[in-house]
Amino acid sequence: MSLATASSTMVGRDAELACLDDALRRAEAGEAASQLIGGEAGIGKSRLTSEFRRSVAGRATVLTGWCLDYGSTPAPYGPLPAILRGVLDALGDAADEAAGPGRDALQLLLPERAAGPIDRSSIRPEGLGETIANLLEAAAATRPVVVIVEDLHWADAATLSMLSFLLRALAGRAVLFLLTCRVDEVRRGGPIRTFLAEAERARLLERLPLARLDAIAVRDLIFGLRGAVDDAELVRLVERSEGVPFFIEELLCKPEGPLPDTLRDVLLARFDGLGDDARRVVQLASGAEGPIAHELLAELFAGGDERLDDALRETMTAGILTIHDGEAYGFRHALLREAVHDDLLPGERARLHRNYAELLEHTGGSEAALAYHWHQARDAPRALAASVRAMQQAKNAYAFSTAARFGELALELWDQVPDAGAVAGTERISFLARLGSILRNGGDGERALAVVTLALDELDPATAEPAAHARLLRDRALYLQNLGRHGTVPLLLEALEVIDRDPGEAQLRATLLNFLGGRHLTGARLEQAVATSDEAFRIAEAAGSENAMSVAANLRGCARVHLGQVTAGLADFRLSWEHAIDHDSQLRHRVNYADTLNLLGRFREAVEVAELGVAHSRTLGVERATGSVLSHNMVEPLIELGEIDRAEAATARDLQVRTLQIFRLYSTMSRIRTLVWRGRIAEAEALLAEWRPRAEATAEVERQVWYSLRSVEILIALGDGDPLRAAEALQRTLDDDGTRTAQLIRILLEGARVVADLRADGHTDLAGTTAAALRAAWRSLPVELQIPGWGTVIDVVLDADAAMLAEAVRLADGDGIPAVFAPIVRLELARTRAATGDRAAAAELGAEALARAERLGHDRLRRRAAEFLDAAGLRRASDAGTGASTTPGSGTGTAAALVGSATGVGVADLTARERQVLELVAEGLSNRQIGERLFISAKTASVHVSAILRKLSVATRTEAAVLARTASPAPATDPA
């Protein structure tokens, strides 16, 4: 009988194939179009990707990697080596340059690229993802790239983390990811389900489900396999296979006689018809986690080359094994492997895996494979030793989540092994400390806390080494901090008491003091933060620890600014930079310094500091990883400058590394601010509701989160047109008896807007009492925190004095005043003019306020200005019925009609950044070249160019360049 099992023509998947083709076209056009091809086992996921691979071979570079079945402890980065080798081959001699400065990180996955032992000191953890993204991006610049990851349901956590990074980092590039997955087998709450949910929610991944075949498609498939089918047999096959293509193929193996009763019988039907040698080969192959090399199979078979060749031919004729990549053998379908492996007796299975493990030990197999096979062989001592080594190997590759899986397997085996410490090569307490650190770096804060707590419970303080004991206490404090919980300060104080017994650990003491100073700072215990940082700096200086000195000066500078000692605090930041000798301390300096400059109203400087950090990250090859932290650090000052397009670009791009919950809280609050700005109030409220429980809990230990919560509450209320609710939230902030920090000054400035809205809506009494409370709060601030320009704006808006408002218009247009006050001050002045009967001036000022609000894209201010003009009857007769523009920054609608060409948007009205971009457009630079010149991404440059064209009401870059030249002296040549 014929055992042909694969139809030459795919049936029933034309629509899905067309969907993949459309996804590739969209990816070429710069859209996120990656696909999750989901369906049950045997439904045809791999066949679909194979057919698509064949159909696009002439127009795209196709790279394929496979996740392998290692049970509960998969190898790190399973599919990535094959994908990397493919893209390196595609790039050829250009690969090294394309990889960028972090190219050495490739050695972690491709050891053959290393001339000798890998120097991990030169490789940053986040550099691997950045380098892979660079390679794929470079390949996609020549022709579209399709990355296929098969069997995602077996993916390890490191692969999922990398895919999450790549999907975001390459969004907008001509790279299409196709992921196949048995979605029905993915465990609820597990890492794969979480990855899929987050990717789909971020619209980075679209689901393409594969349904079972209908009767017509089943007939077509059978016809392709057998050439003919009668109606009775078709009915039976449709009923038994339920439309699953793989089951149809297997059922056709027994064209005569009764159909098998169970799925297991169906899958084993081919196997049962083999000869003894062929059956043995299939059983041996079933023990491998993936395709098995010929040499390894020959060693395990031990029956001679000719018998092996004959057996292999028989298995391939039977449609069980296939040749994989020309060098190995794999099962035609994973279900066949699972059925054969599960059919082994327990003793047979254990002996099979023991043979694998012993052979791999002699041939240098991976530690992950050894851990898997020794565990399956039920050899606890060897499984423990291999698991600990596999944990370290995965950690060395920065695959922390996968390392944690091996560490937890080792912990599970520990009690089963006599003298486990000797077998594992490490004492239990030290092992638990390492595992806790790995779990924390892998993003599992709860489990990290549980493991370090277990270590402290088992530690004997009387006999433990003080430094080891202190580090465990520090780790527990750090894990509590990352989870936003109480208890960190007592733990750090206890650690300092412990380390007092070991005077030789000065550097550790300085580190502990810096941790403690940081906790005092975030808890707004500012005097204690200064004193603790002072001590840390002195000890670090004596120990010669430059980085610890940098951190101490950094923390002290932050605390002094919050105390109102601004001059001294800024001096500390300069000192911090002098001692920042590595990337981490430089990153920390720039993050805190940019935040401080933003608090002090020095918005442009804050952006520049963050941009310098991003540029530095680019030189290290981690721009899309660590650099993204600093990109997000620019969001707040960009909002204040009114550069909302850039702010949105940063908030829309999720962080490319696993981030701590506390940082995600800050970035979420920034996202809420941009949503409110655009008038998307319902989305902002929903996001706040989602994060409020975590934010409120964290606010109990982090004062900055408390202020951030109060700020977005006020902004949402104002954006919703409810100044009463805004006033209530403001009063709660003013009445709070907690420590006041520099975050309060921006809320006081926003309070002036609250008063203006209350007064405009007729709540004059409440406006008066709120204004009095604001004045008192402002005057109670330390003198150095009373930013002169801000105090003036507060006074003029609260007083609504026409003369003062007129003088404040120019002040409100400066970079040192939040951009929203340019339309606010004009609108308040327009109200005073209308109240005195000067309708012409009121109309002009109201139109200017509206134009400014539209230019900023600020929804609520635009509506406020339009409402004033309507209520005061100040629209021109020709504008009746046109209404305000509903497209922020469009330059059409009421603002354009009222302001006219004399007050329309010109080059001088662009933001400072937009004017920079326009100058480079006039030089003839592309978006990528503009990005390189200004240390921003090409995508961000594109956003600026689009905004410029829209604001100047021109259609092309050339027209914009012409306008730029009419506004400034022209160069000698005209590259545009």
Side-chain angles (χ1 to χ4, degrees):
M1 69 178 177
S2 171
L3 288 175
T5 57
S7 172
S8 59
T9 303
M10 185 175 66
V11 300
R13 301 296 185 213
D14 290 345
E16 289 84 356
L17 194 59
C19 182
L20 295 183
D21 195 61
D22 177 66
L24 180 57
R25 281 197 298 272
R26 287 189 286 132
E28 290 178 87
E31 298 180 37
S34 295
Q35 303 284 309
L36 170 68
I37 304 172
E40 61 192 297
I43 202 67
K45 300 180 293 296
S46 295
R47 178 60 192 272
L48 177 63
T49 59
S50 176
E51 190 72 16
F52 180 67
R53 185 188 303 116
R54 183 192 62 76
S55 70
V56 301
R59 63 186 257 235
T61 300
V62 183
L63 312 168
T64 305
W66 294 263
C67 301
L68 304 178
D69 182 11
Y70 275 94
S72 61
T73 51
Y77 302 121
L80 292 183
I83 292 169
L84 274 176
R85 291 187 178 100
V87 72
L88 290 172
D89 287 345
L91 289 168
D93 294 338
D96 268 359
E97 182 180 354
R103 63 181 63 88
D104 286 350
L106 294 177
Q107 300 172 28
L108 299 173
L109 298 185
L110 304 177
E112 65 268 22
R113 290 181 60 87
I118 298 174
D119 178 14
R120 294 182 65 252
S121 65
S122 64
I123 300 174
R124 298 193 61 78
E126 61 271 40
L128 179 60
E130 184 81 8
T131 303
I132 296 173
N134 288 342
L135 290 170
L136 292 173
E137 188 175 30
T142 303
R143 64 192 307 218
V145 173
V146 178
V147 179
I148 301 175
V149 177
E150 296 275 13
D151 297 324
L152 190 74
H153 45 275
W154 288 327
D156 63 287
T159 294
L160 296 175
S161 180
M162 183 63 71
L163 286 174
S164 180
F165 171 85
L166 293 174
L167 285 170
R168 289 167 168 80
L170 297 172
R173 305 295 188 268
V175 180
L176 175 67
F177 287 87
L178 303 181
L179 316 179
T180 70
C181 183
R182 298 182 196 169
V183 179
D184 56 318
E185 296 184 17
V186 174
R187 181 171 59 86
R188 185 181 299 277
I192 297 171
R193 180 68 65 89
T194 300
F195 161 77
L196 294 177
E198 290 180 350
E200 289 180 284
R201 184 166 55 243
R203 298 181 182 177
L204 297 169
L205 198 59
E206 300 171 1
R207 190 168 295 217
L208 179 62
L210 296 190
R212 296 178 178 184
L213 301 180
D214 60 21
I216 296 174
V218 172
R219 180 188 290 277
D220 292 342
L221 178 59
I222 297 171
F223 189 83
L225 290 168
R226 294 249 312 263
V229 60
D230 59 51
D231 289 343
E233 184 178 22
L234 175 63
V235 170
R236 282 202 310 157
L237 286 169
V238 170
E239 180 182 342
R240 294 302 307 282
S241 70
E242 298 183 339
V244 177
F246 179 69
F247 295 161
I248 295 168
E249 296 171 355
E250 295 306 297
L251 287 166
L252 287 175
C253 285
K254 296 182 73 68
E256 300 173 359
L259 291 173
D261 290 330
T262 66
L263 173 59
R264 176 180 171 279
D265 292 335
V266 170
L267 294 172
L268 292 175
R270 296 172 184 270
F271 176 75
D272 291 339
L274 298 176
D276 290 344
D277 280 352
R279 286 165 58 89
R280 175 62 178 157
V281 166
V282 173
Q283 287 176 329
L284 290 171
S286 76
E289 64 284 352
I292 181 171
H294 180 87
E295 294 76 9
L296 180 58
L297 185 59
E299 288 281 351
L300 291 167
F301 181 68
D305 291 343
E306 290 186 5
R307 284 175 58 190
L308 176 60
D309 290 344
D310 290 342
L312 283 167
R313 286 194 181 92
E314 185 177 352
T315 66
M316 287 185 279
T317 301
I320 295 177
L321 297 183
T322 61
I323 296 177
H324 187 88
D325 283 350
E327 299 178 352
Y329 306 101
F331 281 83
R332 184 172 61 87
H333 199 286
L335 285 174
L336 285 170
R337 187 193 74 82
E338 294 167 14
V340 172
H341 191 261
D342 290 347
D343 193 51
L344 295 170
L345 296 171
E348 289 180 308
R349 193 178 302 120
R351 287 193 298 274
L352 172 62
H353 286 285
R354 177 174 291 277
N355 290 338
Y356 264 99
E358 290 174 344
L359 188 56
L360 288 173
E361 281 192 338
H362 288 101
T363 58
S366 72
E367 298 297 347
L370 284 168
Y372 167 69
H373 288 298
W374 283 126
H375 192 218
Q376 291 289 314
R378 301 179 183 177
D379 190 323
R382 287 177 169 173
L384 171 62
S387 297
V388 172
R389 293 194 301 270
M391 178 186 78
Q392 188 61 41
Q393 192 176 70
K395 176 180 177 292
N396 290 344
Y398 304 115
F400 295 109
S401 297
T402 302
R405 297 283 290 276
F406 286 111
E408 296 206 314
L409 173 61
L411 191 58
E412 173 189 329
L413 293 167
W414 198 282
D415 291 335
Q416 303 174 30
V417 178
D419 198 12
V423 172
T426 179
E427 292 301 319
R428 182 176 169 88
I429 300 297
S430 298
F431 170 76
L432 289 171
R434 285 165 57 197
L435 178 55
S437 175
I438 287 169
L439 285 161
R440 181 255 184 180
N441 285 317
D444 193 344
E446 293 286 359
R447 189 67 179 146
L449 180 61
V451 167
V452 76
T453 300
L454 177 63
L456 284 167
D457 289 343
E458 295 184 7
L459 177 138
D460 182 359
T463 59
E465 180 187 354
H469 186 188
R471 287 190 178 96
L472 284 174
L473 291 165
R474 175 205 62 191
D475 290 348
R476 188 164 194 272
L478 178 61
Y479 304 159
L480 284 170
Q481 172 188 324
N482 293 342
L483 293 168
R485 295 182 187 168
H486 292 280
T488 58
V489 170
L491 285 165
L492 291 170
L493 291 172
E494 183 181 353
L496 286 165
E497 289 180 7
V498 169
I499 205 64
D500 279 343
R501 302 199 301 267
D502 189 347
E505 291 286 348
Q507 186 161 337
L508 176 56
R509 182 174 181 81
T511 300
L512 291 171
L513 285 166
N514 275 334
F515 272 117
L516 182 59
R519 298 319 299 155
H520 285 321
L521 174 63
T522 56
R525 295 176 293 275
L526 301 176
E527 297 286 359
Q528 291 168 274
V530 170
T532 304
S533 300
D534 267 339
E535 185 181 357
F537 189 92
R538 289 195 301 272
I539 293 174
E541 187 174 30
S545 177
E546 294 277 330
N547 290 329
M549 292 166 67
S550 174
V551 172
N554 185 335
L555 294 170
R556 187 173 61 196
C558 289
R560 282 177 167 166
V561 168
H562 284 299
L563 284 167
Q565 303 164 14
V566 175
T567 303
L570 294 178
D572 272 332
F573 275 112
R574 290 191 291 274
L575 183 62
S576 169
W577 182 250
E578 289 174 13
H579 295 287
I581 62 173
D582 69 0
H583 178 64
D584 292 329
S585 56
Q586 290 168 1
L587 169 67
R588 187 163 183 169
H589 167 88
R590 284 188 165 120
V591 167
N592 285 352
Y593 188 39
D595 275 343
T596 299
L597 290 171
N598 180 61
L599 289 173
L600 297 174
R602 294 163 62 173
F603 307 129
R604 186 63 63 191
E605 291 176 75
V607 173
E608 290 171 355
V609 168
E611 284 179 329
L612 286 171
V614 173
H616 183 199
S617 297
R618 185 180 301 126
T619 66
L620 296 171
V622 294
E623 178 186 0
R624 281 174 279 212
T626 303
S628 65
V629 176
L630 281 155
S631 295
H632 275 67
N633 210 233
M634 290 189 284
V635 173
E636 294 294 333
L638 285 172
I639 292 173
E640 302 292 20
L641 288 166
E643 298 184 23
I644 194 65
D645 290 337
R646 290 183 68 192
E648 285 180 320
T651 57
R653 177 184 172 196
D654 289 347
L655 288 177
Q656 308 305 325
V657 290
R658 279 185 175 269
T659 55
L660 304 177
Q661 177 172 290
I662 186 62
F663 194 85
R664 292 186 66 197
L665 271 173
Y666 294 139
S667 60
T668 298
M669 296 303 160
S670 296
R671 174 63 177 158
I672 291 172
R673 289 182 174 89
T674 62
L675 289 171
V676 171
W677 188 290
R678 291 299 197 189
R680 295 156 64 180
I681 304 301
E683 292 177 63
E685 289 180 326
L687 191 56
L688 179 58
E690 177 187 349
W691 279 86
R692 185 182 286 281
R694 280 167 283 189
E696 293 285 9
T698 307
E700 295 180 8
V701 293
E702 299 226 4
R703 188 66 171 166
Q704 184 172 340
V705 174
W706 186 89
Y707 273 116
S708 192
L709 261 176
R710 304 291 83 83
S711 174
V712 297
E713 287 171 348
I714 294 168
L715 288 173
I716 287 174
L718 287 172
D720 201 27
D722 189 351
L724 291 174
R725 180 156 53 101
E728 183 182 343
L730 175 63
Q731 194 61 53
R732 283 200 305 271
T733 307
L734 298 178
D735 290 343
D736 182 76
D737 57 4
T739 302
R740 292 188 169 185
T741 68
Q743 277 96 11
L744 177 63
I745 56 179
R746 181 61 182 87
I747 293 178
L748 296 181
L749 187 58
E750 201 67 41
R753 181 181 162 201
V754 175
V755 171
D757 279 8
L758 286 170
R759 193 165 53 223
D761 288 358
H763 307 293
T764 53
D765 290 343
L766 181 57
T769 56
T770 304
L774 279 172
R775 289 187 201 279
W778 182 264
R779 290 166 183 163
S780 70
L781 291 172
V783 173
E784 287 193 81
L785 286 181
Q786 294 181 29
I787 303 173
W790 291 23
T792 301
V793 169
I794 288 175
D795 284 338
V796 299
V797 174
L798 295 183
D799 290 337
D801 178 86
M804 293 175 63
L805 283 165
E807 293 177 6
V809 167
R810 184 175 297 277
L811 174 64
D813 290 345
D815 275 352
I817 305 295
V820 292
F821 283 91
I824 288 171
V825 170
R826 284 172 170 80
L827 183 56
E828 290 308 296
L829 182 55
R831 294 187 196 281
T832 64
R833 296 301 189 206
T836 59
D838 190 350
R839 292 177 58 77
E844 183 178 355
L845 286 162
E848 286 183 15
L850 179 54
R852 292 272 181 167
E854 286 188 335
R855 197 176 309 153
L856 291 172
H858 196 292
D859 178 80
R860 189 60 202 166
L861 292 180
R862 178 182 62 80
R863 291 177 182 274
R864 273 288 182 190
E867 288 164 2
F868 162 73
L869 291 166
D870 284 337
L874 295 175
R875 289 187 187 274
R876 293 178 179 177
S878 60
D879 303 324
T882 60
S885 168
T886 57
T887 304
S890 66
T892 61
T894 303
L898 283 168
V899 179
S901 58
T903 55
V905 177
V907 172
D909 296 298
L910 300 175
T911 66
R913 174 62 84 182
E914 286 167 349
R915 290 195 295 274
Q916 285 180 309
V917 172
L918 180 56
E919 290 171 7
L920 299 179
V921 168
E923 290 181 26
L925 272 61
S926 68
N927 290 343
R928 182 177 292 279
Q929 291 168 323
I930 291 171
E932 290 171 353
R933 186 78 65 86
L934 298 179
F935 301 111
I936 59 178
S937 71
K939 188 172 183 181
T940 300
S942 174
V943 170
H944 284 312
V945 172
S946 297
I948 291 166
L949 298 181
R950 184 181 71 243
K951 291 181 177 181
L952 298 180
S953 298
V954 297
T956 67
R957 298 165 76 100
T958 301
E959 291 179 73
V962 170
L963 284 179
R965 297 187 185 290
T966 62
S968 60
T973 59
D974 187 2

